[in-house]
Amino acid sequence: DQQVKQNSPSLSVQEGRISILNCDYTNSMFDYFLWYKKYPAEGPTFLISISSIKDKNEDGRFTVFLNKSAKHLSLHIVPSQPGDSAVYFCAASHKTNAGGTSYGKLTFGQGTILTVHP
Amino acid sequence: DGGITQSPKYLFRKEGQNVTLSCEQNLNHDAMYWYRQDPGQGLRLIYYSQIVNDFQKGDIAEGYSVSREKKESFPLTVTSAQKNPTAFYLCASRWLGAGNTIYFGEGSWLTVV
């Protein structure tokens, strides 16, 4: 059962334009979401995250939007640069104890290959 | 420098052999994780540990074993029982205090020959 899905295996964008990467989830217990960027043969690097108490989080060229009712999140990259070409993974997690201070394991989507053309 | 160190970067294994992948972190993180990535697939959790001397199975634990004798170290053994071990293995860690961002090592390529 794929609880986190990235339905677009690849995305191609022109330099300077907006890249929009999408992610859907099915588990309503998820309350924290992250995006990672990965180059071939390297470990993923953390990009940006969002808690379910927010619907938007921005960091420089990267903005993540969360639509809880649709169980959907998206990552916007504006403007896109050739160096952004990589695989992007979304991930989700939920609280593991009543106090809510400890989070459980991350569940990852399949990834989307972003190619930004000069 | 603080970080997560995985070794070796590339490893070849003969059929029927056990191999151990090393993961060390000096970030003072509480929790450590092992993920596996196959071509065209996402990251799948093998095992994780939130405290020393304790660990839990992830989604694909069969054919793998781990230990957590020290906070800094979380080695993964790929046993001969793992039917399809050729993959890219990623170790990760995080601090349990707040937030849920995990940080990854550079990965280890395991190829069965």
Side-chain angles (χ1 to χ4, degrees):
Chain A
D1 176 32
Q2 190 79 25
Q3 296 187 63
V4 178
K5 296 182 183 179
Q6 293 175 256
N7 291 317
S8 298
S10 62
L11 174 67
S12 184
V13 171
Q14 203 70 28
E15 181 178 7
R17 307 294 289 267
I18 184 172
S19 296
I20 300 176
L21 299 110
N22 294 302
C23 181
D24 297 294
Y25 61 96
T26 57
N27 189 340
S28 57
M29 296 291 290
F30 287 145
D31 63 357
Y32 195 81
F33 305 89
L34 308 90
W35 284 94
Y36 284 84
K37 173 181 178 180
K38 185 182 182 300
Y39 294 114
E42 293 184 10
T45 54
F46 169 72
L47 268 179
I48 191 169
S49 62
I50 187 167
S51 165
S52 60
I53 62 173
K54 294 184 176 182
D55 54 19
K56 176 183 174 182
N57 189 27
E58 194 171 354
D59 184 2
R61 296 187 298 115
F62 302 92
T63 303
V64 56
F65 295 91
L66 176 62
N67 182 333
K68 290 185 289 293
S69 60
K71 293 190 177 68
H72 177 83
L73 64 153
S74 61
L75 174 69
H76 293 210
I77 307 174
V78 183
S80 301
Q81 299 172 354
D84 295 330
S85 298
V87 179
Y88 288 78
F89 291 98
C90 69
S93 72
H94 58 78
K95 298 181 182 69
T96 58
N97 62 22
T101 56
S102 176
Y103 286 75
K105 59 185 176 70
L106 295 183
T107 301
F108 284 84
Q110 308 96 307
T112 297
I113 302 170
L114 173 65
T115 304
V116 180
H117 298 282
Chain B
D1 282 350
I4 303 167
T5 303
Q6 289 187 239
S7 62
K9 178 71 174 180
Y10 300 95
L11 184 61
F12 295 89
R13 189 195 91 174
K14 292 182 179 179
E15 296 253 7
Q17 281 184 339
N18 293 353
V19 292
T20 297
L21 305 178
S22 168
C23 180
E24 304 279 331
Q25 55 97 2
N26 59 6
L27 301 167
N28 200 32
H29 283 175
D30 306 286
M32 297 186 74
Y33 306 79
W34 275 103
Y35 284 86
R36 167 181 171 146
Q37 184 190 16
D38 295 281
Q41 296 195 33
L43 282 66
R44 294 182 292 167
L45 182 65
I46 304 172
Y47 267 98
Y48 64 106
S49 167
Q50 302 206 82
I51 56 172
V52 174
N53 292 323
D54 188 45
F55 47 83
Q56 288 79 40
K57 293 182 179 179
D59 301 316
I60 53 166
E62 185 176 351
Y64 298 98
S65 66
V66 292
S67 63
R68 185 89 187 274
E69 297 176 2
K70 298 186 300 181
K71 186 176 183 179
E72 305 79 22
S73 179
F74 192 42
L76 173 74
T77 297
V78 185
T79 75
S80 56
Q82 169 49 236
K83 300 301 180 192
N84 194 16
T86 296
F88 189 51
Y89 289 87
L90 288 158
C91 179
S93 68
R94 72 178 178 94
W95 182 55
L96 291 176
N100 203 21
T101 303
I102 67 173
Y103 297 92
F104 286 88
E106 290 298 302
S108 293
W109 278 104
L110 173 62
T111 304
V112 174
V113 296

